[in-house]
Amino acid sequence: MRRFALFIVTIIALLTSFSALAQVPTDPTKTGELMSAPPGTLSTLALPSSTVTNTRVGSGDVLRVTVFGQPDLSAEVGVNDKGFLTLPLIGGVDVNGLTTSEISAKVADGLRKGQYLKNPEVSVEVVQLRSQMVSVLGEVSRPGRYPIPGHMSVLELLATAGGLTVQADQTVTLLRRKNDKSGSSSESDVRIPILLGETSATERTPLDVELNAGDVVYVNKKKLFYIHGEVNRPGSYPMEQDMNVMRAISMGGGMTQRASQRRIYINREMPEKGVQEIKAKLTDPVLPGDVVYVNESLF
């Protein structure tokens, strides 16, 4: 009996240890997955160096420089605010705006010219990409700042941010800073509205436009109008292009038998005047935020 009891205890211990191993979370820096964040907070992409291939380097980036067969010459170093990184023997190297392959060739050339190595083999990887960042805000699942690993389009950024929420509008705004000749940003930024699903037979769709460092993509919240009174489905509805009263009533399920086509009103917020009641016809336009009221017939 004692041996049998000892056997049972051993089996339970083994099962417990296997269960604990199965619950060990994966390391997002190894898998490239998005790190989870509490609801309502920003999230950033865990970017392993293997995913960044031949991107351009700038101030704030961290690089891993490997000289094969020479561990003393290998180092993990950051690019300073002037675009230089400092390496053993060859000192400061200007890497601002260079790709990782160009930096590899430049470091190898420095070791060769300094007569430190005859045929150096150098590899450069980006450990942290801080200079090439874009932001996505608004109605996306994971708003935040994301690195550009080489090239990224607006559509790819939206996908990386987990896609749109149910409250997202069909209009996305790309905010791009205009730089003057000195390199500093000017007072006026460029706002580029992009309609989701827009296609062009001759030109690239705006969703395929490549992002630049510092770009901000804002996904607008869905614009609504409201319809009440003698309609079958009163409530709020998303705006559509060229919306008019007839279309609004149709989205509201049509008029009831008590409705009067001549007694339709729009309550609209007017600048400096407040809410104004406007007698409307079926062909009148409906604007975001309008409240369409269909009154009942007097007879």
Side-chain angles (χ1 to χ4, degrees), residues 81-230:
D81 56 355
K82 295 182 179 179
F84 281 77
L85 58 82
T86 303
L87 295 171
L89 298 181
I90 61 177
V93 181
D94 186 2
V95 298
N96 191 43
L98 300 182
T99 64
T100 51
S101 60
E102 290 171 341
I103 298 171
S104 300
K106 195 168 187 178
V107 172
D109 188 57
L111 292 171
R112 192 181 301 108
K113 287 182 177 179
Q115 297 183 353
Y116 302 112
L117 295 172
K118 289 184 178 181
N119 296 303
E121 294 184 16
V122 180
S123 171
V124 175
E125 294 177 291
V126 177
V127 179
Q128 294 182 15
L129 187 63
R130 297 173 179 170
S131 64
Q132 307 294 319
M133 301 288 288
V134 293
S135 300
V136 57
L137 303 172
E139 296 300 323
V140 292
S141 298
R142 292 184 291 268
R145 300 184 70 219
Y146 292 85
I148 307 176
H151 304 281
M152 179 177 282
S153 68
V154 174
L155 186 60
E156 289 169 336
L157 176 61
L158 294 177
T160 302
L164 307 179
T165 68
V166 294
Q167 295 297 324
D169 192 18
Q170 291 298 300
T171 302
V172 173
T173 302
L174 172 60
L175 182 63
R176 176 164 290 172
R177 294 183 178 179
K178 293 176 65 176
N179 294 329
D180 57 26
K181 294 181 180 179
S182 64
S184 60
S185 59
S186 62
E187 295 181 357
S188 59
D189 294 334
V190 179
R191 299 175 67 90
I192 306 171
I194 299 173
L195 182 62
L196 296 179
E198 190 175 75
T199 58
S200 172
T202 57
E203 299 179 358
R204 296 175 62 191
T205 171
L207 289 171
D208 288 334
V209 172
E210 288 187 10
L211 294 167
N212 298 333
D215 281 353
V216 177
V217 174
Y218 184 80
V219 181
N220 302 298
K221 192 171 185 177
K222 189 180 294 180
K223 298 179 180 64
L224 303 174
F225 74 91
Y226 307 86
I227 184 164
H228 295 283
E230 297 300 327

